[in-house]
Amino acid sequence: MQGRRTIRSYKKEPIDEESLQRILDAATLPPTGADLLPYTVIVVRDSGRKSRIRQGAEEVEMRYHDSLTGRLKERFNSMGVSPVKPFLTDAPILLIVAGDKSKPYWQESTWLAIAYMILAIENEGLGSVTYTPPDTGFLSELLRLPDNLQPQVVLPIGFAAEQIPPKSSRPQGRIYLEEFTD
Amino acid sequence: MQGRRTIRSYKKEPIDEESLQRILDAATLPPTGADLLPYTVIVVRDSGRKSRIRQGAEEVEMRYHDSLTGRLKERFNSMGVSPVKPFLTDAPILLIVAGDKSKPYWQESTWLAIAYMILAIENEGLGSVTYTPPDTGFLSELLRLPDNLQPQVVLPIGFAAEQIPPKSSRPQGRIYLEEFTD
């Protein structure tokens, strides 16, 4: 948890099949609503498909960034977040995780599974970025998802081509004892 | 991840302060929307407050269970889930995690933090249950939460008073390559 950093730059080096399997296995282990594992993972390796995903993502990102104003815009600028997403074609594998809206606590459960996956990715010595496109219609179309499956995240995975120092634990400003106080 | 099981029965044995601190630290480490950590944790130890939380939870659970029908009702019965929640008073500490609805990707981020916390709890040799009351108004009132903070989970933590064998990895039925197929 301490060592994991968001990686946006990847080597072309392929991923061991056993590493991938352990990452996919991790998604089956969190507690989920009524124990139903309400999500699906699509593993994308094909370079043509990755290109189409990148193109779709950059189109929705351009529109989203144009619509931004104020503090959030400044925040993204200061974080170096841009509408250009090279990691979607550079990473050897994209994992798209889609939640099943027909199941109870589908979104909560899906994000527990995503956390398990990003920690399993770190454990394999690989990097990822928790990429949430501002609109996911293009993904549903490209991956032929049925209406009940709502894309939640694209996790590119691969060996990091950048080094980012581990973050220190962050300020504890939002912990309260017994009840909320101003 | 493999060893963690949902624990519904707790010893009264108190929790080491350093363990608690490491669990709270874990909540600061996941990637979150615009790096804003859009959640708050309330640490409840007071037995009167725990009793009021249990009472509120059991009231909403009774109404929820009465409203259930069909497969979900059968599923909960077969899982042994009932409206009675002794773990809310037995566990020495309850952690209530509330998401800040005013922040981008607040629910996704909050559930990443919850996953980190439940794994940190396991790492301390403690147990928890990811308890999501069907209605959380009673929590907002008892914890005096402002309107922007939406309770997402109650995590009782404590030493397990039951032994549950580790689960084996589950079936991989919902992994697809390249695109969804029927």
Side-chain angles (χ1 to χ4, degrees), chain A residues 25 28-30 34-37 41 43 45-46 49 75 105 107-108 111 115 132 143-144 167 170 172 174 176 178-180, chain B residues 25 28-30 34-37 41 43 45-46 49 75 105 107-108 111 132 143-144 167 170 172 174 176 178-180:
Chain A
D25 282 348
T28 68
L29 295 171
D35 209 20
L36 289 172
L37 290 81
V41 182
V43 180
R45 286 191 188 84
D46 179 75
R49 193 179 300 266
R75 185 134 195 124
Y105 295 102
Q107 197 174 27
E108 294 88 337
W111 283 87
T132 47
L143 304 174
R144 304 169 62 89
K167 56 187 158 194
R170 296 191 233 180
Q172 295 284 311
R174 278 159 291 190
Y176 297 93
E178 300 299 338
E179 64 182 29
F180 184 85
Chain B
D25 283 348
T28 68
L29 294 171
D35 209 22
L36 289 171
L37 289 80
V41 182
V43 180
R45 286 191 188 84
D46 180 76
R49 193 180 298 266
R75 184 133 196 124
Y105 295 102
Q107 198 174 26
E108 294 88 336
W111 283 87
T132 47
L143 304 175
R144 305 168 62 89
K167 56 186 156 192
R170 295 191 233 179
Q172 295 285 310
R174 277 159 293 190
Y176 297 93
E178 301 299 338
E179 64 183 28
F180 184 86

Short mmCIF file of all heavy atoms in Angstrom, two decimals, chain A residues 25 28-30 34-37 41 43 45-46 49 75 105 107-108 111 115 132 143-144 167 170 172 174 176 178-180, chain B residues 25 28-30 34-37 41 43 45-46 49 75 105 107-108 111 132 143-144 167 170 172 174 176 178-180:
data_model
loop_
_atom_site.label_atom_id
_atom_site.label_comp_id
_atom_site.label_asym_id
_atom_site.label_seq_id
_atom_site.Cartn_x
_atom_site.Cartn_y
_atom_site.Cartn_z
N ASP A 25 -7.28 -13.55 -10.03
CA ASP A 25 -7.74 -14.29 -8.84
C ASP A 25 -8.06 -13.34 -7.69
O ASP A 25 -9.01 -13.56 -6.94
CB ASP A 25 -6.66 -15.28 -8.36
CG ASP A 25 -6.59 -16.54 -9.22
OD1 ASP A 25 -7.51 -16.75 -10.03
OD2 ASP A 25 -5.61 -17.29 -9.07
N THR A 28 -11.51 -12.10 -7.11
CA THR A 28 -12.55 -13.01 -6.62
C THR A 28 -12.59 -13.08 -5.09
O THR A 28 -13.42 -13.78 -4.53
CB THR A 28 -12.33 -14.46 -7.14
OG1 THR A 28 -11.14 -15.00 -6.54
CG2 THR A 28 -12.17 -14.48 -8.65
N LEU A 29 -11.69 -12.36 -4.42
CA LEU A 29 -11.51 -12.56 -2.98
C LEU A 29 -12.17 -11.54 -2.05
O LEU A 29 -12.32 -11.83 -0.86
CB LEU A 29 -10.02 -12.66 -2.66
CG LEU A 29 -9.32 -13.89 -3.27
CD1 LEU A 29 -7.81 -13.78 -3.10
CD2 LEU A 29 -9.83 -15.17 -2.63
N PRO A 30 -12.55 -10.33 -2.49
CA PRO A 30 -13.14 -9.41 -1.52
C PRO A 30 -14.54 -9.86 -1.09
O PRO A 30 -15.16 -10.67 -1.79
CB PRO A 30 -13.22 -8.08 -2.27
CG PRO A 30 -13.30 -8.46 -3.69
CD PRO A 30 -12.48 -9.72 -3.83
N ALA A 34 -24.11 -9.81 -0.99
CA ALA A 34 -24.76 -11.12 -1.05
C ALA A 34 -23.83 -12.17 -1.67
O ALA A 34 -24.30 -13.17 -2.20
CB ALA A 34 -26.09 -11.06 -1.80
N ASP A 35 -22.52 -11.93 -1.61
CA ASP A 35 -21.50 -12.88 -2.09
C ASP A 35 -21.66 -13.18 -3.58
O ASP A 35 -21.35 -14.27 -4.04
CB ASP A 35 -21.60 -14.18 -1.26
CG ASP A 35 -20.26 -14.88 -1.15
OD1 ASP A 35 -19.21 -14.25 -1.36
OD2 ASP A 35 -20.26 -16.10 -0.89
N LEU A 36 -22.10 -12.18 -4.36
CA LEU A 36 -22.45 -12.43 -5.76
C LEU A 36 -21.37 -12.01 -6.76
O LEU A 36 -21.55 -12.18 -7.97
CB LEU A 36 -23.77 -11.72 -6.11
CG LEU A 36 -25.03 -12.31 -5.48
CD1 LEU A 36 -26.24 -11.40 -5.73
CD2 LEU A 36 -25.31 -13.71 -6.02
N LEU A 37 -20.23 -11.44 -6.27
CA LEU A 37 -19.16 -10.97 -7.19
C LEU A 37 -19.75 -10.24 -8.40
O LEU A 37 -19.65 -10.72 -9.53
CB LEU A 37 -18.28 -12.15 -7.64
CG LEU A 37 -17.37 -12.75 -6.57
CD1 LEU A 37 -18.08 -13.71 -5.66
CD2 LEU A 37 -16.16 -13.42 -7.21
N VAL A 41 -14.49 -8.87 -15.70
CA VAL A 41 -13.22 -8.28 -16.13
C VAL A 41 -12.98 -8.67 -17.58
O VAL A 41 -13.10 -9.85 -17.94
CB VAL A 41 -12.04 -8.77 -15.27
CG1 VAL A 41 -10.74 -8.09 -15.71
CG2 VAL A 41 -12.30 -8.50 -13.79
N VAL A 43 -10.08 -8.69 -20.42
CA VAL A 43 -8.63 -8.60 -20.58
C VAL A 43 -8.34 -8.24 -22.04
O VAL A 43 -8.65 -9.02 -22.94
CB VAL A 43 -7.97 -9.96 -20.26
CG1 VAL A 43 -6.45 -9.88 -20.43
CG2 VAL A 43 -8.35 -10.43 -18.86
N ARG A 45 -5.56 -7.32 -24.89
CA ARG A 45 -4.15 -7.35 -25.29
C ARG A 45 -3.96 -6.88 -26.73
O ARG A 45 -2.90 -6.43 -27.10
CB ARG A 45 -3.62 -8.79 -25.26
CG ARG A 45 -3.38 -9.39 -23.91
CD ARG A 45 -2.59 -10.69 -24.13
NE ARG A 45 -2.46 -11.45 -22.90
CZ ARG A 45 -3.36 -12.27 -22.42
NH1 ARG A 45 -4.51 -12.45 -23.06
NH2 ARG A 45 -3.15 -12.92 -21.29
N ASP A 46 -5.01 -7.04 -27.54
CA ASP A 46 -4.92 -6.76 -28.97
C ASP A 46 -4.60 -5.28 -29.22
O ASP A 46 -5.29 -4.39 -28.70
CB ASP A 46 -6.27 -7.12 -29.62
CG ASP A 46 -6.29 -6.85 -31.10
OD1 ASP A 46 -5.67 -7.63 -31.85
OD2 ASP A 46 -6.89 -5.83 -31.50
N ARG A 49 -7.37 -3.11 -30.77
CA ARG A 49 -8.43 -2.79 -29.81
C ARG A 49 -7.96 -1.75 -28.79
O ARG A 49 -8.71 -0.84 -28.42
CB ARG A 49 -8.91 -4.06 -29.10
CG ARG A 49 -10.22 -3.85 -28.33
CD ARG A 49 -10.69 -5.12 -27.64
NE ARG A 49 -10.94 -6.20 -28.56
CZ ARG A 49 -12.15 -6.48 -29.08
NH1 ARG A 49 -13.19 -5.76 -28.73
NH2 ARG A 49 -12.30 -7.47 -29.93
N ARG A 75 -6.49 21.81 -10.25
CA ARG A 75 -5.97 20.62 -9.59
C ARG A 75 -5.43 19.62 -10.62
O ARG A 75 -4.35 19.06 -10.46
CB ARG A 75 -7.11 19.98 -8.79
CG ARG A 75 -6.68 18.80 -7.97
CD ARG A 75 -7.23 18.86 -6.55
NE ARG A 75 -6.52 17.93 -5.73
CZ ARG A 75 -5.88 18.22 -4.62
NH1 ARG A 75 -5.89 19.45 -4.17
NH2 ARG A 75 -5.22 17.31 -3.94
N TYR A 105 -25.53 -3.75 -4.14
CA TYR A 105 -24.22 -3.20 -3.78
C TYR A 105 -23.18 -3.44 -4.87
O TYR A 105 -22.02 -3.72 -4.59
CB TYR A 105 -23.73 -3.77 -2.43
CG TYR A 105 -24.60 -3.34 -1.28
CD1 TYR A 105 -25.55 -4.20 -0.73
CD2 TYR A 105 -24.49 -2.06 -0.74
CE1 TYR A 105 -26.38 -3.79 0.31
CE2 TYR A 105 -25.31 -1.64 0.30
CZ TYR A 105 -26.25 -2.51 0.82
OH TYR A 105 -27.06 -2.09 1.86
N GLN A 107 -21.77 -1.37 -7.11
CA GLN A 107 -20.64 -0.46 -7.29
C GLN A 107 -19.65 -0.57 -6.13
O GLN A 107 -18.43 -0.61 -6.33
CB GLN A 107 -21.12 0.98 -7.45
CG GLN A 107 -20.03 1.86 -8.04
CD GLN A 107 -20.48 3.27 -8.37
OE1 GLN A 107 -21.41 3.81 -7.74
NE2 GLN A 107 -19.84 3.90 -9.33
N GLU A 108 -20.17 -0.67 -4.92
CA GLU A 108 -19.31 -0.82 -3.74
C GLU A 108 -18.43 -2.07 -3.90
O GLU A 108 -17.21 -2.03 -3.69
CB GLU A 108 -20.18 -0.96 -2.48
CG GLU A 108 -20.99 0.28 -2.11
CD GLU A 108 -22.36 0.36 -2.77
OE1 GLU A 108 -22.57 -0.26 -3.84
OE2 GLU A 108 -23.24 1.06 -2.21
N TRP A 111 -15.67 -1.83 -6.55
CA TRP A 111 -14.49 -1.04 -6.16
C TRP A 111 -13.65 -1.72 -5.08
O TRP A 111 -12.44 -1.50 -5.01
CB TRP A 111 -14.90 0.41 -5.82
CG TRP A 111 -15.12 1.12 -7.12
CD1 TRP A 111 -16.28 1.18 -7.84
CD2 TRP A 111 -14.12 1.79 -7.90
NE1 TRP A 111 -16.07 1.84 -9.02
CE2 TRP A 111 -14.77 2.24 -9.08
CE3 TRP A 111 -12.76 2.06 -7.73
CZ2 TRP A 111 -14.07 2.94 -10.08
CZ3 TRP A 111 -12.07 2.76 -8.72
CH2 TRP A 111 -12.73 3.19 -9.87
N ALA A 115 -9.68 -2.44 -5.81
CA ALA A 115 -8.60 -2.23 -4.84
C ALA A 115 -7.76 -3.50 -4.69
O ALA A 115 -6.52 -3.44 -4.67
CB ALA A 115 -9.17 -1.82 -3.48
N THR A 132 -10.44 6.27 -14.87
CA THR A 132 -11.90 6.31 -14.98
C THR A 132 -12.29 7.31 -16.08
O THR A 132 -12.29 8.52 -15.84
CB THR A 132 -12.53 6.78 -13.65
OG1 THR A 132 -11.81 7.94 -13.19
CG2 THR A 132 -12.44 5.71 -12.59
N LEU A 143 -16.42 -3.13 -26.39
CA LEU A 143 -16.29 -4.43 -25.72
C LEU A 143 -17.59 -5.25 -25.79
O LEU A 143 -17.66 -6.33 -25.22
CB LEU A 143 -15.88 -4.23 -24.25
CG LEU A 143 -14.60 -3.41 -24.04
CD1 LEU A 143 -14.37 -3.16 -22.55
CD2 LEU A 143 -13.39 -4.12 -24.64
N ARG A 144 -18.60 -4.69 -26.48
CA ARG A 144 -19.88 -5.37 -26.68
C ARG A 144 -20.52 -5.77 -25.34
O ARG A 144 -21.04 -6.88 -25.19
CB ARG A 144 -19.70 -6.59 -27.57
CG ARG A 144 -19.04 -6.25 -28.92
CD ARG A 144 -18.60 -7.49 -29.69
NE ARG A 144 -19.73 -8.35 -30.04
CZ ARG A 144 -20.46 -8.24 -31.14
NH1 ARG A 144 -20.22 -7.27 -32.01
NH2 ARG A 144 -21.44 -9.07 -31.39
N LYS A 167 5.01 7.09 -1.48
CA LYS A 167 4.48 8.25 -0.74
C LYS A 167 4.53 7.96 0.75
O LYS A 167 4.39 6.82 1.19
CB LYS A 167 3.07 8.59 -1.17
CG LYS A 167 2.05 7.50 -1.06
CD LYS A 167 0.74 7.98 -1.70
CE LYS A 167 -0.12 6.78 -2.10
NZ LYS A 167 -1.21 7.14 -3.00
N ARG A 170 -0.30 9.99 4.57
CA ARG A 170 -0.81 11.36 4.43
C ARG A 170 -1.43 11.89 5.72
O ARG A 170 -1.70 11.12 6.64
CB ARG A 170 -1.85 11.37 3.32
CG ARG A 170 -1.19 11.02 2.01
CD ARG A 170 -2.13 11.29 0.89
NE ARG A 170 -2.26 10.11 0.05
CZ ARG A 170 -3.04 10.05 -1.01
NH1 ARG A 170 -3.76 11.10 -1.35
NH2 ARG A 170 -3.11 8.97 -1.72
N GLN A 172 -3.81 13.06 8.68
CA GLN A 172 -4.93 12.33 9.28
C GLN A 172 -6.08 13.28 9.60
O GLN A 172 -6.72 13.14 10.63
CB GLN A 172 -4.47 11.68 10.59
CG GLN A 172 -3.43 10.61 10.38
CD GLN A 172 -4.05 9.34 9.85
OE1 GLN A 172 -5.05 8.87 10.38
NE2 GLN A 172 -3.51 8.79 8.79
N ARG A 174 -9.07 13.77 8.62
CA ARG A 174 -10.48 13.46 8.60
C ARG A 174 -10.83 12.21 9.38
O ARG A 174 -11.63 11.40 8.98
CB ARG A 174 -10.97 13.40 7.15
CG ARG A 174 -11.25 14.82 6.66
CD ARG A 174 -11.25 14.92 5.17
NE ARG A 174 -9.91 14.71 4.61
CZ ARG A 174 -9.59 14.93 3.35
NH1 ARG A 174 -10.52 15.37 2.51
NH2 ARG A 174 -8.38 14.73 2.90
N TYR A 176 -12.30 11.24 13.13
CA TYR A 176 -12.97 11.83 14.30
C TYR A 176 -13.25 10.74 15.31
O TYR A 176 -13.49 9.59 14.94
CB TYR A 176 -14.28 12.51 13.89
CG TYR A 176 -14.07 13.65 12.94
CD1 TYR A 176 -14.12 13.46 11.57
CD2 TYR A 176 -13.77 14.92 13.42
CE1 TYR A 176 -13.90 14.50 10.69
CE2 TYR A 176 -13.55 15.98 12.54
CZ TYR A 176 -13.61 15.76 11.18
OH TYR A 176 -13.38 16.79 10.32
N GLU A 178 -15.77 9.29 18.04
CA GLU A 178 -17.16 9.22 18.52
C GLU A 178 -18.18 9.97 17.64
O GLU A 178 -19.25 9.45 17.38
CB GLU A 178 -17.29 9.67 19.99
CG GLU A 178 -16.47 8.81 20.96
CD GLU A 178 -16.87 7.33 20.98
OE1 GLU A 178 -17.99 7.00 20.61
OE2 GLU A 178 -16.02 6.50 21.37
N GLU A 179 -17.89 11.19 17.23
CA GLU A 179 -18.82 11.86 16.33
C GLU A 179 -18.11 12.96 15.59
O GLU A 179 -17.00 13.35 15.94
CB GLU A 179 -20.04 12.41 17.10
CG GLU A 179 -19.68 13.48 18.11
CD GLU A 179 -20.91 13.97 18.90
OE1 GLU A 179 -21.85 13.19 19.10
OE2 GLU A 179 -20.89 15.14 19.31
N PHE A 180 -18.76 13.44 14.55
CA PHE A 180 -18.20 14.51 13.73
C PHE A 180 -18.19 15.81 14.54
O PHE A 180 -19.11 16.10 15.27
CB PHE A 180 -19.05 14.69 12.47
CG PHE A 180 -18.49 15.70 11.52
CD1 PHE A 180 -17.53 15.34 10.58
CD2 PHE A 180 -18.93 17.02 11.56
CE1 PHE A 180 -17.01 16.27 9.69
CE2 PHE A 180 -18.42 17.95 10.67
CZ PHE A 180 -17.46 17.57 9.74
N ASP B 25 -4.19 4.67 8.98
CA ASP B 25 -3.19 5.11 8.00
C ASP B 25 -3.45 4.48 6.62
O ASP B 25 -3.26 5.13 5.59
CB ASP B 25 -1.78 4.70 8.44
CG ASP B 25 -1.22 5.60 9.53
OD1 ASP B 25 -1.82 6.67 9.78
OD2 ASP B 25 -0.19 5.24 10.14
N THR B 28 -5.44 6.25 4.05
CA THR B 28 -4.89 7.44 3.37
C THR B 28 -4.07 7.06 2.13
O THR B 28 -3.56 7.94 1.46
CB THR B 28 -3.97 8.24 4.31
OG1 THR B 28 -2.78 7.47 4.58
CG2 THR B 28 -4.66 8.56 5.63
N LEU B 29 -3.94 5.77 1.84
CA LEU B 29 -2.98 5.34 0.82
C LEU B 29 -3.53 4.99 -0.56
O LEU B 29 -2.76 4.96 -1.52
CB LEU B 29 -2.17 4.15 1.35
CG LEU B 29 -1.27 4.50 2.55
CD1 LEU B 29 -0.68 3.23 3.14
CD2 LEU B 29 -0.15 5.46 2.12
N PRO B 30 -4.83 4.74 -0.74
CA PRO B 30 -5.26 4.37 -2.09
C PRO B 30 -5.25 5.58 -3.02
O PRO B 30 -5.23 6.73 -2.55
CB PRO B 30 -6.70 3.88 -1.89
CG PRO B 30 -7.18 4.59 -0.70
CD PRO B 30 -5.97 4.71 0.20
N ALA B 34 -8.93 12.89 -8.03
CA ALA B 34 -8.21 14.16 -7.93
C ALA B 34 -7.35 14.23 -6.65
O ALA B 34 -7.02 15.30 -6.18
CB ALA B 34 -9.17 15.35 -8.02
N ASP B 35 -7.00 13.05 -6.11
CA ASP B 35 -6.13 12.94 -4.93
C ASP B 35 -6.72 13.67 -3.71
O ASP B 35 -6.00 14.21 -2.87
CB ASP B 35 -4.75 13.53 -5.28
CG ASP B 35 -3.61 12.87 -4.48
OD1 ASP B 35 -3.80 11.74 -3.99
OD2 ASP B 35 -2.56 13.50 -4.34
N LEU B 36 -8.06 13.64 -3.60
CA LEU B 36 -8.72 14.44 -2.56
C LEU B 36 -9.15 13.65 -1.31
O LEU B 36 -9.68 14.24 -0.38
CB LEU B 36 -9.95 15.16 -3.16
CG LEU B 36 -9.64 16.29 -4.14
CD1 LEU B 36 -10.94 16.77 -4.82
CD2 LEU B 36 -8.98 17.47 -3.42
N LEU B 37 -8.89 12.34 -1.29
CA LEU B 37 -9.30 11.51 -0.15
C LEU B 37 -10.71 11.89 0.35
O LEU B 37 -10.88 12.39 1.48
CB LEU B 37 -8.29 11.62 1.01
CG LEU B 37 -6.92 10.94 0.80
CD1 LEU B 37 -5.99 11.79 -0.04
CD2 LEU B 37 -6.27 10.59 2.11
N VAL B 41 -13.48 9.12 8.57
CA VAL B 41 -13.67 7.93 9.40
C VAL B 41 -14.02 8.38 10.82
O VAL B 41 -13.35 9.26 11.38
CB VAL B 41 -12.39 7.06 9.44
CG1 VAL B 41 -12.63 5.80 10.28
CG2 VAL B 41 -11.92 6.69 8.04
N VAL B 43 -14.33 6.97 14.60
CA VAL B 43 -13.92 5.85 15.45
C VAL B 43 -14.84 5.83 16.67
O VAL B 43 -14.81 6.77 17.48
CB VAL B 43 -12.45 6.03 15.91
CG1 VAL B 43 -12.02 4.85 16.80
CG2 VAL B 43 -11.51 6.18 14.71
N ARG B 45 -15.93 3.98 20.15
CA ARG B 45 -15.56 3.02 21.20
C ARG B 45 -16.59 3.03 22.34
O ARG B 45 -16.72 2.07 23.07
CB ARG B 45 -14.23 3.43 21.86
CG ARG B 45 -13.00 3.21 21.06
CD ARG B 45 -11.81 3.42 22.01
NE ARG B 45 -10.54 3.41 21.29
CZ ARG B 45 -10.02 4.44 20.67
NH1 ARG B 45 -10.65 5.60 20.67
NH2 ARG B 45 -8.86 4.33 20.05
N ASP B 46 -17.28 4.13 22.49
CA ASP B 46 -18.20 4.32 23.62
C ASP B 46 -19.34 3.29 23.57
O ASP B 46 -20.02 3.16 22.54
CB ASP B 46 -18.76 5.75 23.55
CG ASP B 46 -19.72 6.01 24.68
OD1 ASP B 46 -19.26 6.21 25.82
OD2 ASP B 46 -20.95 5.98 24.43
N ARG B 49 -22.86 4.61 22.80
CA ARG B 49 -23.02 4.97 21.39
C ARG B 49 -23.12 3.72 20.52
O ARG B 49 -23.92 3.66 19.59
CB ARG B 49 -21.86 5.86 20.93
CG ARG B 49 -22.13 6.53 19.58
CD ARG B 49 -20.98 7.41 19.15
NE ARG B 49 -20.73 8.49 20.07
CZ ARG B 49 -21.24 9.72 19.96
NH1 ARG B 49 -22.02 10.02 18.93
NH2 ARG B 49 -20.98 10.65 20.84
N ARG B 75 -31.20 -16.18 -0.46
CA ARG B 75 -29.74 -16.07 -0.40
C ARG B 75 -29.28 -15.64 1.00
O ARG B 75 -28.37 -16.20 1.57
CB ARG B 75 -29.28 -15.06 -1.45
CG ARG B 75 -27.80 -14.93 -1.56
CD ARG B 75 -27.32 -14.96 -3.00
NE ARG B 75 -25.90 -15.21 -3.01
CZ ARG B 75 -25.30 -16.19 -3.64
NH1 ARG B 75 -26.01 -17.02 -4.37
NH2 ARG B 75 -24.00 -16.35 -3.57
N TYR B 105 -15.73 11.38 -7.93
CA TYR B 105 -15.47 9.95 -7.71
C TYR B 105 -15.45 9.60 -6.23
O TYR B 105 -14.63 8.81 -5.78
CB TYR B 105 -14.17 9.52 -8.39
CG TYR B 105 -14.23 9.62 -9.90
CD1 TYR B 105 -13.65 10.68 -10.58
CD2 TYR B 105 -14.91 8.66 -10.63
CE1 TYR B 105 -13.74 10.78 -11.96
CE2 TYR B 105 -15.00 8.74 -12.01
CZ TYR B 105 -14.41 9.81 -12.66
OH TYR B 105 -14.50 9.90 -14.03
N GLN B 107 -17.62 7.97 -4.27
CA GLN B 107 -17.98 6.63 -3.79
C GLN B 107 -16.92 5.60 -4.21
O GLN B 107 -16.54 4.74 -3.41
CB GLN B 107 -19.36 6.22 -4.33
CG GLN B 107 -19.94 5.06 -3.53
CD GLN B 107 -21.36 4.68 -3.91
OE1 GLN B 107 -21.80 4.91 -5.04
NE2 GLN B 107 -22.09 4.10 -2.98
N GLU B 108 -16.44 5.71 -5.44
CA GLU B 108 -15.39 4.80 -5.90
C GLU B 108 -14.18 4.89 -4.97
O GLU B 108 -13.63 3.87 -4.53
CB GLU B 108 -14.97 5.19 -7.33
CG GLU B 108 -16.05 4.99 -8.40
CD GLU B 108 -16.97 6.20 -8.59
OE1 GLU B 108 -17.11 7.02 -7.65
OE2 GLU B 108 -17.56 6.31 -9.68
N TRP B 111 -14.64 3.39 -1.47
CA TRP B 111 -14.60 1.92 -1.41
C TRP B 111 -13.20 1.37 -1.64
O TRP B 111 -12.88 0.28 -1.15
CB TRP B 111 -15.69 1.31 -2.29
CG TRP B 111 -17.00 1.43 -1.57
CD1 TRP B 111 -17.85 2.51 -1.60
CD2 TRP B 111 -17.54 0.52 -0.62
NE1 TRP B 111 -18.90 2.30 -0.73
CE2 TRP B 111 -18.73 1.09 -0.13
CE3 TRP B 111 -17.14 -0.72 -0.14
CZ2 TRP B 111 -19.52 0.46 0.84
CZ3 TRP B 111 -17.93 -1.37 0.81
CH2 TRP B 111 -19.10 -0.78 1.28
N THR B 132 -23.13 -2.91 5.66
CA THR B 132 -23.78 -1.78 5.00
C THR B 132 -25.25 -1.74 5.39
O THR B 132 -26.06 -2.50 4.87
CB THR B 132 -23.68 -1.93 3.46
OG1 THR B 132 -24.05 -3.28 3.13
CG2 THR B 132 -22.27 -1.68 2.95
N LEU B 143 -24.09 10.35 14.62
CA LEU B 143 -22.69 10.80 14.51
C LEU B 143 -22.60 12.28 14.15
O LEU B 143 -21.51 12.80 13.95
CB LEU B 143 -21.94 9.95 13.47
CG LEU B 143 -21.97 8.44 13.71
CD1 LEU B 143 -21.30 7.71 12.55
CD2 LEU B 143 -21.28 8.09 15.03
N ARG B 144 -23.78 12.93 14.04
CA ARG B 144 -23.85 14.35 13.72
C ARG B 144 -23.11 14.70 12.44
O ARG B 144 -22.37 15.69 12.36
CB ARG B 144 -23.30 15.18 14.90
CG ARG B 144 -23.98 14.85 16.23
CD ARG B 144 -23.25 15.45 17.41
NE ARG B 144 -23.22 16.91 17.36
CZ ARG B 144 -24.16 17.70 17.88
NH1 ARG B 144 -25.21 17.17 18.49
NH2 ARG B 144 -24.06 19.01 17.79
N LYS B 167 -10.93 -19.04 2.47
CA LYS B 167 -11.63 -19.52 1.28
C LYS B 167 -10.64 -19.82 0.17
O LYS B 167 -9.59 -19.18 0.07
CB LYS B 167 -12.68 -18.51 0.80
CG LYS B 167 -12.17 -17.12 0.51
CD LYS B 167 -13.36 -16.20 0.20
CE LYS B 167 -12.98 -14.75 0.48
NZ LYS B 167 -14.12 -13.87 0.48
N ARG B 170 -12.10 -18.33 -6.00
CA ARG B 170 -13.42 -18.68 -6.53
C ARG B 170 -13.40 -18.89 -8.05
O ARG B 170 -12.46 -18.52 -8.71
CB ARG B 170 -14.39 -17.57 -6.16
CG ARG B 170 -14.55 -17.53 -4.65
CD ARG B 170 -15.69 -16.64 -4.29
NE ARG B 170 -15.27 -15.63 -3.33
CZ ARG B 170 -16.07 -14.71 -2.85
NH1 ARG B 170 -17.31 -14.64 -3.26
NH2 ARG B 170 -15.63 -13.84 -1.97
N GLN B 172 -13.67 -18.55 -12.00
CA GLN B 172 -13.26 -17.43 -12.85
C GLN B 172 -14.27 -17.20 -13.96
O GLN B 172 -13.89 -16.88 -15.08
CB GLN B 172 -11.91 -17.77 -13.49
CG GLN B 172 -10.78 -17.92 -12.49
CD GLN B 172 -10.34 -16.58 -12.00
OE1 GLN B 172 -10.07 -15.68 -12.80
NE2 GLN B 172 -10.29 -16.38 -10.70
N ARG B 174 -16.32 -14.95 -14.82
CA ARG B 174 -16.66 -13.67 -15.43
C ARG B 174 -15.43 -12.90 -15.90
O ARG B 174 -15.32 -11.71 -15.72
CB ARG B 174 -17.53 -12.86 -14.48
CG ARG B 174 -18.98 -13.31 -14.61
CD ARG B 174 -19.82 -12.96 -13.42
NE ARG B 174 -19.40 -13.71 -12.24
CZ ARG B 174 -20.08 -13.74 -11.11
NH1 ARG B 174 -21.20 -13.07 -11.00
NH2 ARG B 174 -19.63 -14.43 -10.08
N TYR B 176 -13.35 -12.27 -19.41
CA TYR B 176 -13.46 -12.43 -20.85
C TYR B 176 -12.22 -11.88 -21.51
O TYR B 176 -11.61 -10.93 -20.99
CB TYR B 176 -14.69 -11.70 -21.38
CG TYR B 176 -15.97 -12.26 -20.83
CD1 TYR B 176 -16.54 -11.72 -19.68
CD2 TYR B 176 -16.59 -13.35 -21.44
CE1 TYR B 176 -17.71 -12.26 -19.15
CE2 TYR B 176 -17.76 -13.88 -20.92
CZ TYR B 176 -18.32 -13.33 -19.77
OH TYR B 176 -19.45 -13.85 -19.26
N GLU B 178 -10.66 -9.88 -24.60
CA GLU B 178 -10.90 -8.92 -25.70
C GLU B 178 -12.30 -8.32 -25.72
O GLU B 178 -12.44 -7.11 -25.91
CB GLU B 178 -10.55 -9.50 -27.07
CG GLU B 178 -9.08 -9.95 -27.19
CD GLU B 178 -8.08 -8.79 -27.00
OE1 GLU B 178 -8.46 -7.63 -27.17
OE2 GLU B 178 -6.91 -9.06 -26.63
N GLU B 179 -13.34 -9.13 -25.57
CA GLU B 179 -14.68 -8.53 -25.52
C GLU B 179 -15.64 -9.51 -24.84
O GLU B 179 -15.32 -10.69 -24.66
CB GLU B 179 -15.18 -8.15 -26.92
CG GLU B 179 -15.36 -9.33 -27.85
CD GLU B 179 -15.79 -8.91 -29.26
OE1 GLU B 179 -15.45 -7.79 -29.69
OE2 GLU B 179 -16.48 -9.72 -29.91
N PHE B 180 -16.78 -8.97 -24.47
CA PHE B 180 -17.79 -9.79 -23.82
C PHE B 180 -18.38 -10.77 -24.82
O PHE B 180 -18.60 -10.45 -25.98
CB PHE B 180 -18.90 -8.87 -23.28
CG PHE B 180 -19.95 -9.62 -22.51
CD1 PHE B 180 -19.78 -9.88 -21.17
CD2 PHE B 180 -21.11 -10.06 -23.13
CE1 PHE B 180 -20.75 -10.57 -20.45
CE2 PHE B 180 -22.09 -10.75 -22.42
CZ PHE B 180 -21.90 -10.99 -21.07
#
